[in-house]
Amino acid sequence: MTKKKNQNLSLLLFTAPALIVYIIFKLFPAFSGIFYSMTDWNGLNKTYHFVGLTNFIEIFQDINFWNSMIFTIKYVFVMVLAANIVALLLAVGIESRKRGKGFFRTLFYMPNMISMIIGGYMWTFIFTKVCYYMADNWNIKFLDKSWIGDPKYSFIAIIIVSAWGMAGYLMIIYMAALQGVPVYLIEAAGLDGATGWQKFWRVSFPMIRHAVTICVFWTLNSSFQVFDVIYSLTGGGPGRATQSAAINIYEEAFTGNIRFGYATAKSTVLFIIVLLITVIQLMLMKRREQEL
């Protein structure tokens, strides 16, 4: 018993630095944010008044916030599909190669190492300069679009840049899962006459369901908090057409009237929505894993 206690104490001491940082920079702001969401604090003055649920009642009448939530949900739905499909295709394609795995793995992972603010400005140059140049000089007409100024095309541009930055990270997770699939099962399926697609869908894919759950969970959470890509590409425009919930909260807290308490109430509502959707997603996917 004493030995087990000493082991637990050792583990606690090793994890203490990370735990302290997590408490200070994650848990404390989260719980203090719930308190400030029930005040009229502007983020600058030392004085503020407790207003109870007034901020939350006002949120239900805030059309701009709910429009940004609708856009965010649309973005999340498309990104969960696009990023995971692209990442899985890349993982399967690279794993099926006999040579150059390290090169292609590094090549496709590199966008994840770049800040998406910088990546967004890079792609802004591509959409506003390179695409027009290629359309005019190389007669590629489908590139002659207002990728930033037209809401229809600006959404596509946001998805392209987000998937470009996110797929590499998910690809690594899928590759690790694919490497854990027993080779003899794939070979046995081949001997039974299974095609390449059948070997993947019937053998490999069911055995990497846990990786799919992890990747969908990660994509879901990060997509609901999207800020940097949209901020650097469109700033939420034109108008508010591409404004995400995070940008709406940022606008409320740091521009205009600077209503920090109200912005914190919005972030609390966003947290509750993300929590509920995440719990449902995990329950459904875990149940699916158990059925398989």
PDB file of all heavy atoms in Angstrom, residues 107-131:
ATOM      1  N   LEU A 107       5.957  16.796 -46.006  1.00  0.00           N
ATOM      2  CA  LEU A 107       5.407  17.786 -46.934  1.00  0.00           C
ATOM      3  C   LEU A 107       3.988  18.185 -46.559  1.00  0.00           C
ATOM      4  O   LEU A 107       3.650  19.374 -46.506  1.00  0.00           O
ATOM      5  CB  LEU A 107       5.438  17.224 -48.360  1.00  0.00           C
ATOM      6  CG  LEU A 107       4.878  18.123 -49.464  1.00  0.00           C
ATOM      7  CD1 LEU A 107       5.744  19.360 -49.650  1.00  0.00           C
ATOM      8  CD2 LEU A 107       4.760  17.349 -50.768  1.00  0.00           C
ATOM      9  N   PHE A 108       3.149  17.193 -46.283  1.00  0.00           N
ATOM     10  CA  PHE A 108       1.746  17.487 -45.994  1.00  0.00           C
ATOM     11  C   PHE A 108       1.512  17.919 -44.545  1.00  0.00           C
ATOM     12  O   PHE A 108       0.459  18.493 -44.246  1.00  0.00           O
ATOM     13  CB  PHE A 108       0.880  16.262 -46.328  1.00  0.00           C
ATOM     14  CG  PHE A 108       0.765  16.007 -47.798  1.00  0.00           C
ATOM     15  CD1 PHE A 108       1.336  14.877 -48.375  1.00  0.00           C
ATOM     16  CD2 PHE A 108       0.096  16.894 -48.622  1.00  0.00           C
ATOM     17  CE1 PHE A 108       1.236  14.629 -49.740  1.00  0.00           C
ATOM     18  CE2 PHE A 108      -0.019  16.669 -49.988  1.00  0.00           C
ATOM     19  CZ  PHE A 108       0.567  15.538 -50.547  1.00  0.00           C
ATOM     20  N   TYR A 109       2.478  17.641 -43.678  1.00  0.00           N
ATOM     21  CA  TYR A 109       2.327  18.074 -42.278  1.00  0.00           C
ATOM     22  C   TYR A 109       2.792  19.517 -42.082  1.00  0.00           C
ATOM     23  O   TYR A 109       2.381  20.173 -41.132  1.00  0.00           O
ATOM     24  CB  TYR A 109       3.117  17.145 -41.351  1.00  0.00           C
ATOM     25  CG  TYR A 109       2.962  17.489 -39.889  1.00  0.00           C
ATOM     26  CD1 TYR A 109       1.806  17.141 -39.193  1.00  0.00           C
ATOM     27  CD2 TYR A 109       3.956  18.187 -39.206  1.00  0.00           C
ATOM     28  CE1 TYR A 109       1.647  17.465 -37.864  1.00  0.00           C
ATOM     29  CE2 TYR A 109       3.812  18.515 -37.873  1.00  0.00           C
ATOM     30  CZ  TYR A 109       2.654  18.154 -37.201  1.00  0.00           C
ATOM     31  OH  TYR A 109       2.507  18.485 -35.879  1.00  0.00           O
ATOM     32  N   MET A 110       3.644  20.010 -42.972  1.00  0.00           N
ATOM     33  CA  MET A 110       4.246  21.333 -42.802  1.00  0.00           C
ATOM     34  C   MET A 110       3.247  22.472 -42.608  1.00  0.00           C
ATOM     35  O   MET A 110       3.492  23.368 -41.802  1.00  0.00           O
ATOM     36  CB  MET A 110       5.181  21.639 -43.976  1.00  0.00           C
ATOM     37  CG  MET A 110       6.526  20.945 -43.883  1.00  0.00           C
ATOM     38  SD  MET A 110       7.622  21.366 -45.258  1.00  0.00           S
ATOM     39  CE  MET A 110       7.910  23.107 -44.919  1.00  0.00           C
ATOM     40  N   PRO A 111       2.096  22.502 -43.331  1.00  0.00           N
ATOM     41  CA  PRO A 111       1.134  23.600 -43.083  1.00  0.00           C
ATOM     42  C   PRO A 111       0.679  23.699 -41.633  1.00  0.00           C
ATOM     43  O   PRO A 111       0.351  24.800 -41.162  1.00  0.00           O
ATOM     44  CB  PRO A 111      -0.036  23.247 -44.011  1.00  0.00           C
ATOM     45  CG  PRO A 111       0.592  22.476 -45.109  1.00  0.00           C
ATOM     46  CD  PRO A 111       1.683  21.679 -44.467  1.00  0.00           C
ATOM     47  N   ASN A 112       0.660  22.569 -40.925  1.00  0.00           N
ATOM     48  CA  ASN A 112       0.251  22.588 -39.522  1.00  0.00           C
ATOM     49  C   ASN A 112       1.262  23.312 -38.639  1.00  0.00           C
ATOM     50  O   ASN A 112       0.929  23.729 -37.528  1.00  0.00           O
ATOM     51  CB  ASN A 112       0.060  21.152 -39.021  1.00  0.00           C
ATOM     52  CG  ASN A 112      -0.543  21.093 -37.639  1.00  0.00           C
ATOM     53  OD1 ASN A 112      -1.713  21.437 -37.452  1.00  0.00           O
ATOM     54  ND2 ASN A 112       0.242  20.676 -36.661  1.00  0.00           N
ATOM     55  N   MET A 113       2.497  23.448 -39.127  1.00  0.00           N
ATOM     56  CA  MET A 113       3.549  24.113 -38.368  1.00  0.00           C
ATOM     57  C   MET A 113       3.531  25.628 -38.549  1.00  0.00           C
ATOM     58  O   MET A 113       4.261  26.345 -37.875  1.00  0.00           O
ATOM     59  CB  MET A 113       4.915  23.546 -38.781  1.00  0.00           C
ATOM     60  CG  MET A 113       5.045  22.051 -38.565  1.00  0.00           C
ATOM     61  SD  MET A 113       6.523  21.355 -39.320  1.00  0.00           S
ATOM     62  CE  MET A 113       7.804  22.187 -38.369  1.00  0.00           C
ATOM     63  N   ILE A 114       2.705  26.113 -39.477  1.00  0.00           N
ATOM     64  CA  ILE A 114       2.614  27.544 -39.761  1.00  0.00           C
ATOM     65  C   ILE A 114       1.413  28.127 -39.021  1.00  0.00           C
ATOM     66  O   ILE A 114       0.335  27.528 -39.007  1.00  0.00           O
ATOM     67  CB  ILE A 114       2.464  27.799 -41.273  1.00  0.00           C
ATOM     68  CG1 ILE A 114       3.630  27.187 -42.039  1.00  0.00           C
ATOM     69  CG2 ILE A 114       2.351  29.286 -41.577  1.00  0.00           C
ATOM     70  CD1 ILE A 114       3.474  27.242 -43.544  1.00  0.00           C
ATOM     71  N   SER A 115       1.598  29.281 -38.403  1.00  0.00           N
ATOM     72  CA  SER A 115       0.463  29.969 -37.783  1.00  0.00           C
ATOM     73  C   SER A 115      -0.593  30.248 -38.844  1.00  0.00           C
ATOM     74  O   SER A 115      -0.284  30.722 -39.939  1.00  0.00           O
ATOM     75  CB  SER A 115       0.929  31.286 -37.152  1.00  0.00           C
ATOM     76  OG  SER A 115      -0.182  32.083 -36.796  1.00  0.00           O
ATOM     77  N   MET A 116      -1.863  29.971 -38.523  1.00  0.00           N
ATOM     78  CA  MET A 116      -2.915  30.140 -39.510  1.00  0.00           C
ATOM     79  C   MET A 116      -3.194  31.612 -39.802  1.00  0.00           C
ATOM     80  O   MET A 116      -3.797  31.930 -40.826  1.00  0.00           O
ATOM     81  CB  MET A 116      -4.196  29.436 -39.051  1.00  0.00           C
ATOM     82  CG  MET A 116      -4.103  27.914 -39.124  1.00  0.00           C
ATOM     83  SD  MET A 116      -3.479  27.282 -40.703  1.00  0.00           S
ATOM     84  CE  MET A 116      -4.739  27.840 -41.830  1.00  0.00           C
ATOM     85  N   ILE A 117      -2.759  32.498 -38.927  1.00  0.00           N
ATOM     86  CA  ILE A 117      -2.837  33.925 -39.253  1.00  0.00           C
ATOM     87  C   ILE A 117      -1.922  34.214 -40.442  1.00  0.00           C
ATOM     88  O   ILE A 117      -2.311  34.855 -41.420  1.00  0.00           O
ATOM     89  CB  ILE A 117      -2.432  34.790 -38.047  1.00  0.00           C
ATOM     90  CG1 ILE A 117      -3.543  34.779 -36.984  1.00  0.00           C
ATOM     91  CG2 ILE A 117      -2.145  36.226 -38.476  1.00  0.00           C
ATOM     92  CD1 ILE A 117      -4.770  35.577 -37.357  1.00  0.00           C
ATOM     93  N   ILE A 118      -0.690  33.714 -40.360  1.00  0.00           N
ATOM     94  CA  ILE A 118       0.267  33.888 -41.455  1.00  0.00           C
ATOM     95  C   ILE A 118      -0.220  33.143 -42.696  1.00  0.00           C
ATOM     96  O   ILE A 118      -0.178  33.663 -43.814  1.00  0.00           O
ATOM     97  CB  ILE A 118       1.663  33.388 -41.038  1.00  0.00           C
ATOM     98  CG1 ILE A 118       2.181  34.210 -39.859  1.00  0.00           C
ATOM     99  CG2 ILE A 118       2.637  33.451 -42.204  1.00  0.00           C
ATOM    100  CD1 ILE A 118       3.471  33.698 -39.273  1.00  0.00           C
ATOM    101  N   GLY A 119      -0.685  31.897 -42.482  1.00  0.00           N
ATOM    102  CA  GLY A 119      -1.210  31.120 -43.596  1.00  0.00           C
ATOM    103  C   GLY A 119      -2.381  31.813 -44.272  1.00  0.00           C
ATOM    104  O   GLY A 119      -2.499  31.788 -45.509  1.00  0.00           O
ATOM    105  N   GLY A 120      -3.243  32.438 -43.482  1.00  0.00           N
ATOM    106  CA  GLY A 120      -4.384  33.153 -44.043  1.00  0.00           C
ATOM    107  C   GLY A 120      -3.964  34.314 -44.909  1.00  0.00           C
ATOM    108  O   GLY A 120      -4.512  34.533 -46.002  1.00  0.00           O
ATOM    109  N   TYR A 121      -2.953  35.086 -44.470  1.00  0.00           N
ATOM    110  CA  TYR A 121      -2.465  36.201 -45.272  1.00  0.00           C
ATOM    111  C   TYR A 121      -1.760  35.706 -46.532  1.00  0.00           C
ATOM    112  O   TYR A 121      -1.843  36.347 -47.589  1.00  0.00           O
ATOM    113  CB  TYR A 121      -1.529  37.081 -44.446  1.00  0.00           C
ATOM    114  CG  TYR A 121      -2.260  37.931 -43.424  1.00  0.00           C
ATOM    115  CD1 TYR A 121      -1.934  37.878 -42.075  1.00  0.00           C
ATOM    116  CD2 TYR A 121      -3.288  38.784 -43.821  1.00  0.00           C
ATOM    117  CE1 TYR A 121      -2.620  38.646 -41.139  1.00  0.00           C
ATOM    118  CE2 TYR A 121      -3.981  39.553 -42.888  1.00  0.00           C
ATOM    119  CZ  TYR A 121      -3.634  39.477 -41.555  1.00  0.00           C
ATOM    120  OH  TYR A 121      -4.312  40.238 -40.643  1.00  0.00           O
ATOM    121  N   MET A 122      -1.071  34.570 -46.434  1.00  0.00           N
ATOM    122  CA  MET A 122      -0.455  33.976 -47.624  1.00  0.00           C
ATOM    123  C   MET A 122      -1.521  33.625 -48.655  1.00  0.00           C
ATOM    124  O   MET A 122      -1.374  33.912 -49.848  1.00  0.00           O
ATOM    125  CB  MET A 122       0.322  32.716 -47.233  1.00  0.00           C
ATOM    126  CG  MET A 122       1.612  32.962 -46.473  1.00  0.00           C
ATOM    127  SD  MET A 122       2.275  31.440 -45.734  1.00  0.00           S
ATOM    128  CE  MET A 122       2.270  30.329 -47.141  1.00  0.00           C
ATOM    129  N   TRP A 123      -2.600  32.992 -48.207  1.00  0.00           N
ATOM    130  CA  TRP A 123      -3.660  32.593 -49.112  1.00  0.00           C
ATOM    131  C   TRP A 123      -4.458  33.792 -49.622  1.00  0.00           C
ATOM    132  O   TRP A 123      -5.028  33.742 -50.717  1.00  0.00           O
ATOM    133  CB  TRP A 123      -4.582  31.591 -48.437  1.00  0.00           C
ATOM    134  CG  TRP A 123      -4.045  30.190 -48.502  1.00  0.00           C
ATOM    135  CD1 TRP A 123      -3.246  29.567 -47.606  1.00  0.00           C
ATOM    136  CD2 TRP A 123      -4.265  29.251 -49.557  1.00  0.00           C
ATOM    137  NE1 TRP A 123      -2.940  28.292 -48.010  1.00  0.00           N
ATOM    138  CE2 TRP A 123      -3.554  28.062 -49.212  1.00  0.00           C
ATOM    139  CE3 TRP A 123      -4.984  29.277 -50.750  1.00  0.00           C
ATOM    140  CZ2 TRP A 123      -3.560  26.939 -50.030  1.00  0.00           C
ATOM    141  CZ3 TRP A 123      -4.985  28.159 -51.560  1.00  0.00           C
ATOM    142  CH2 TRP A 123      -4.281  27.008 -51.202  1.00  0.00           C
ATOM    143  N   THR A 124      -4.512  34.868 -48.850  1.00  0.00           N
ATOM    144  CA  THR A 124      -5.154  36.087 -49.341  1.00  0.00           C
ATOM    145  C   THR A 124      -4.439  36.597 -50.583  1.00  0.00           C
ATOM    146  O   THR A 124      -5.068  37.004 -51.568  1.00  0.00           O
ATOM    147  CB  THR A 124      -5.149  37.176 -48.249  1.00  0.00           C
ATOM    148  OG1 THR A 124      -5.867  36.709 -47.109  1.00  0.00           O
ATOM    149  CG2 THR A 124      -5.805  38.458 -48.747  1.00  0.00           C
ATOM    150  N   PHE A 125      -3.103  36.554 -50.539  1.00  0.00           N
ATOM    151  CA  PHE A 125      -2.312  36.947 -51.705  1.00  0.00           C
ATOM    152  C   PHE A 125      -2.596  36.018 -52.887  1.00  0.00           C
ATOM    153  O   PHE A 125      -2.733  36.470 -54.028  1.00  0.00           O
ATOM    154  CB  PHE A 125      -0.821  36.919 -51.359  1.00  0.00           C
ATOM    155  CG  PHE A 125       0.087  37.169 -52.531  1.00  0.00           C
ATOM    156  CD1 PHE A 125       0.291  38.459 -53.005  1.00  0.00           C
ATOM    157  CD2 PHE A 125       0.723  36.117 -53.175  1.00  0.00           C
ATOM    158  CE1 PHE A 125       1.113  38.696 -54.102  1.00  0.00           C
ATOM    159  CE2 PHE A 125       1.543  36.338 -54.268  1.00  0.00           C
ATOM    160  CZ  PHE A 125       1.746  37.633 -54.731  1.00  0.00           C
ATOM    161  N   ILE A 126      -2.707  34.712 -52.600  1.00  0.00           N
ATOM    162  CA  ILE A 126      -2.978  33.743 -53.670  1.00  0.00           C
ATOM    163  C   ILE A 126      -4.347  33.999 -54.297  1.00  0.00           C
ATOM    164  O   ILE A 126      -4.494  34.033 -55.526  1.00  0.00           O
ATOM    165  CB  ILE A 126      -2.899  32.305 -53.134  1.00  0.00           C
ATOM    166  CG1 ILE A 126      -1.460  31.970 -52.720  1.00  0.00           C
ATOM    167  CG2 ILE A 126      -3.396  31.292 -54.173  1.00  0.00           C
ATOM    168  CD1 ILE A 126      -1.310  30.650 -51.993  1.00  0.00           C
ATOM    169  N   PHE A 127      -5.368  34.213 -53.456  1.00  0.00           N
ATOM    170  CA  PHE A 127      -6.720  34.397 -53.972  1.00  0.00           C
ATOM    171  C   PHE A 127      -6.900  35.724 -54.698  1.00  0.00           C
ATOM    172  O   PHE A 127      -7.699  35.815 -55.637  1.00  0.00           O
ATOM    173  CB  PHE A 127      -7.736  34.315 -52.823  1.00  0.00           C
ATOM    174  CG  PHE A 127      -7.952  32.911 -52.310  1.00  0.00           C
ATOM    175  CD1 PHE A 127      -7.874  32.635 -50.948  1.00  0.00           C
ATOM    176  CD2 PHE A 127      -8.238  31.872 -53.171  1.00  0.00           C
ATOM    177  CE1 PHE A 127      -8.074  31.354 -50.468  1.00  0.00           C
ATOM    178  CE2 PHE A 127      -8.445  30.585 -52.707  1.00  0.00           C
ATOM    179  CZ  PHE A 127      -8.362  30.320 -51.350  1.00  0.00           C
ATOM    180  N   THR A 128      -6.202  36.770 -54.250  1.00  0.00           N
ATOM    181  CA  THR A 128      -6.403  38.093 -54.837  1.00  0.00           C
ATOM    182  C   THR A 128      -5.421  38.429 -55.952  1.00  0.00           C
ATOM    183  O   THR A 128      -5.697  39.303 -56.775  1.00  0.00           O
ATOM    184  CB  THR A 128      -6.300  39.186 -53.752  1.00  0.00           C
ATOM    185  OG1 THR A 128      -5.021  39.088 -53.094  1.00  0.00           O
ATOM    186  CG2 THR A 128      -7.402  39.034 -52.723  1.00  0.00           C
ATOM    187  N   LYS A 129      -4.281  37.784 -55.997  1.00  0.00           N
ATOM    188  CA  LYS A 129      -3.267  38.094 -57.001  1.00  0.00           C
ATOM    189  C   LYS A 129      -3.000  36.926 -57.936  1.00  0.00           C
ATOM    190  O   LYS A 129      -3.127  37.039 -59.160  1.00  0.00           O
ATOM    191  CB  LYS A 129      -1.958  38.514 -56.316  1.00  0.00           C
ATOM    192  CG  LYS A 129      -2.081  39.703 -55.374  1.00  0.00           C
ATOM    193  CD  LYS A 129      -2.433  40.980 -56.112  1.00  0.00           C
ATOM    194  CE  LYS A 129      -2.485  42.166 -55.144  1.00  0.00           C
ATOM    195  NZ  LYS A 129      -2.865  43.416 -55.825  1.00  0.00           N
ATOM    196  N   VAL A 130      -2.611  35.784 -57.353  1.00  0.00           N
ATOM    197  CA  VAL A 130      -2.204  34.636 -58.165  1.00  0.00           C
ATOM    198  C   VAL A 130      -3.365  34.102 -58.994  1.00  0.00           C
ATOM    199  O   VAL A 130      -3.211  33.810 -60.187  1.00  0.00           O
ATOM    200  CB  VAL A 130      -1.616  33.523 -57.272  1.00  0.00           C
ATOM    201  CG1 VAL A 130      -1.248  32.308 -58.112  1.00  0.00           C
ATOM    202  CG2 VAL A 130      -0.390  34.041 -56.515  1.00  0.00           C
ATOM    203  N   CYS A 131      -4.542  33.953 -58.383  1.00  0.00           N
ATOM    204  CA  CYS A 131      -5.697  33.411 -59.107  1.00  0.00           C
ATOM    205  C   CYS A 131      -6.086  34.311 -60.281  1.00  0.00           C
ATOM    206  O   CYS A 131      -6.384  33.817 -61.382  1.00  0.00           O
ATOM    207  CB  CYS A 131      -6.879  33.233 -58.165  1.00  0.00           C
ATOM    208  SG  CYS A 131      -6.699  31.837 -57.035  1.00  0.00           S
TER     209      CYS A 131
END
